[in-house]
């Protein structure tokens, strides 16, 4: 792992104390501490732990923070490097603004925004719920009322909030209130969270324009709500497209294919309306 025993033991203790660590994971971590206390080789104890975690890690079924620790155990440091969240907590400069969009799994919502000029930072996280500092397990289990979302910090001199909203419509299916694409459940519903009256007006006008276009031929279900506390997700979920490129590309390919299908249907619908074949 490239760290000394004291540093690794500290991480093990922190995971044991982490309220989001599952009971089974916590038991395995405690066993490492107990075995070392009984004078078992520390390296041997870590090797045994890696073997126990491996089946779940290969199925992406460890909790996010334990997943990061597992990647450190096997030497995959780039997947476990912590993302600097200081921009999330910092006060915005006069030329900066924030936007929050929920559009299904946040893994696929980061890259399209992050690569636009004028974007300062994009964070994956949870918002719109009632519980402080929710975990991924809690949100996916729909126990807290949160949705997966992205928080975008942008430079208003380079890119406008209106442009971000227009991009958001291109990334989602606004007619699906039960989730997005293969991700089903209230935690994946599409919502635009607005910080002020100006954002609300821009989002509302954009939504009305989409409704009036009748592009989809179905009701637009995307909600517009007041922004509430945005809780950054666990490090495992931050910049997922960079840390897990192969898995991300597979998910993104499916998403793009479905969006292309929706746009094709919309264009066909427009042609049929022009020909007075449908109304």
């Amino acid at each position: 792992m490239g760290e000394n025993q004291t540093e690794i033991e500290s991480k093990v203790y922190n995971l044991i104390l982490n309220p989001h660590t599952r009971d089974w994971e916590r038991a395995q971590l405690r066993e490492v501490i107990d075995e070392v206390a009984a004078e078992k080789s520390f390296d041997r104890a870590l090797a045994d732990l890696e073997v126990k975690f491996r089946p779940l890690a290969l199925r992406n079924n460890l909790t996010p923070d334990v997943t990061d620790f597992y990647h450190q155990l096997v030497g995959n440091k780039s997947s476990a490097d912590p993302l600097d969240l200081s921009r999330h907590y910092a006060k915005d400069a006069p030329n900066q603004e924030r936007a929050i969009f929920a559009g299904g799994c946040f893994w696929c919502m980061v890259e399209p925004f992050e690569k636009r000029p004028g974007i300062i930072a994009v964070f994956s996280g949870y918002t719109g719920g009632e519980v402080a500092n929710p975990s991924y397990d809690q949100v996916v289990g729909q126990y807290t009322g949160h949705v997966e979302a992205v928080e975008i910090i942008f430079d208003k001199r380079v890119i406008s909030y209106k442009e971000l909203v227009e991009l958001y419509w291109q990334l989602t299916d606004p007619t699906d209130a039960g989730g997005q694409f293969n991700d089903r459940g209230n935690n994946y519903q599409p919502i635009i969270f607005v910080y002020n009256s100006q954002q609300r007006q821009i989002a509302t006008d954009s939504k009305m324009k989409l409704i009036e276009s009748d592009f989809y031929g179905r009701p637009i279900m995307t909600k517009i709500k007041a922004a509430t506390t945005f809780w950054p997700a666990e490090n495992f979920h931050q910049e997922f497209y960079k840390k897990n490129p192969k898995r991300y590309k597979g998910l993104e390919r499916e998403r793009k294919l479905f969006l292309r299908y929706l746009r094709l249907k919309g264009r066909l619908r427009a042609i049929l309306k022009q020909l007075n074949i449908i109304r």
Side-chain angles (χ1 to χ4, degrees):
M1 292 180 66
E3 298 172 294
N4 62 42
Q5 180 172 334
T6 301
E7 291 172 326
I8 299 172
E9 283 183 341
S10 177
K11 290 185 176 182
V12 171
Y13 277 116
N14 286 337
L15 286 172
I16 291 172
L17 295 173
N18 187 328
H20 302 321
T21 299
R22 295 183 190 135
D23 290 342
W24 180 84
E25 295 169 332
R26 187 175 289 110
Q28 310 315 309
L29 293 163
R30 281 176 174 158
E31 192 169 321
V32 170
I33 300 301
D34 293 341
E35 288 175 345
V36 172
E39 300 186 353
K40 182 175 182 176
S41 163
F42 186 66
D43 290 341
R44 182 69 261 170
L46 287 182
D48 290 345
L49 180 66
E50 187 274 323
V51 170
K52 293 174 183 176
F53 280 165
R54 188 187 307 159
L56 293 178
L58 293 175
R59 296 197 300 272
N60 298 292
N61 202 19
L62 293 170
T63 50
D65 291 336
V66 175
T67 298
D68 281 349
F69 182 70
Y70 176 81
H71 282 303
Q72 292 174 331
L73 280 178
V74 298
N76 190 7
K77 188 175 182 296
S78 61
S79 294
D81 283 344
L83 180 69
D84 182 6
L85 295 176
S86 60
R87 276 299 304 120
H88 165 74
Y89 297 103
K91 184 178 179 180
D92 293 334
N95 61 295
Q96 295 173 357
E97 192 173 332
R98 300 191 185 213
I100 297 180
F101 299 116
C105 177
F106 46 29
W107 289 350
C108 295
M109 289 288 288
V110 175
E111 183 187 25
F113 288 105
E114 194 168 71
K115 292 192 172 181
R116 290 296 176 104
I119 301 301
I120 297 166
V122 182
F123 300 109
S124 297
Y126 316 114
T127 194
E130 303 87 25
V131 177
N133 194 28
S135 70
Y136 180 73
D137 280 1
Q138 289 174 319
V139 175
V140 170
Q142 302 181 52
Y143 304 125
T144 66
H146 290 86
V147 292
E148 290 190 18
V150 289
E151 177 188 60
I152 303 161
I153 304 173
F154 61 100
D155 187 332
K156 297 184 290 183
R157 299 169 300 182
V158 181
I159 189 168
S160 68
Y161 181 73
K162 182 179 179 181
E163 289 175 294
L164 294 180
V165 172
E166 290 172 352
L167 175 57
Y168 169 76
W169 294 125
Q170 297 173 35
L171 302 174
T172 61
D173 176 1
T175 68
D176 189 353
Q180 288 289 285
F181 315 106
N182 292 328
D183 301 310
R184 313 313 303 162
N186 291 333
N187 53 305
Y188 292 120
Q189 60 184 303
I191 304 173
I192 298 174
F193 291 92
V194 294
Y195 276 104
N196 50 50
S197 58
Q198 184 181 32
Q199 286 192 355
R200 182 177 290 277
Q201 189 63 57
I202 291 171
T204 300
D205 290 347
S206 184
K207 179 179 177 179
M208 285 304 302
K209 184 179 178 181
L210 188 61
I211 292 172
E212 290 167 359
S213 73
D214 195 31
F215 181 79
Y216 291 96
R218 293 192 293 167
I220 301 301
M221 305 301 294
T222 301
K223 300 174 184 176
I224 299 173
K225 293 185 175 183
T228 57
T229 302
F230 180 89
W231 302 95
E234 298 87 343
N235 184 66
F236 172 78
H237 298 296
Q238 303 297 340
E239 295 190 327
F240 187 86
Y241 77 97
K242 292 181 180 179
K243 295 186 288 189
N244 297 273
K246 185 175 181 180
R247 188 177 179 193
Y248 169 74
K249 286 177 182 177
L251 295 169
E252 185 66 359
R253 188 181 303 111
E254 291 179 6
R255 191 177 181 118
K256 284 182 176 179
L257 283 173
F258 187 79
L259 288 171
R260 193 175 298 132
Y261 164 72
L262 287 180
R263 286 192 285 269
L264 181 61
K265 278 183 63 179
R267 287 193 290 269
L268 178 60
R269 178 179 175 78
I271 292 171
L272 294 177
K273 287 178 69 176
Q274 285 181 345
L275 298 173
N276 291 320
I277 297 176
I278 63 171
R279 297 192 178 194

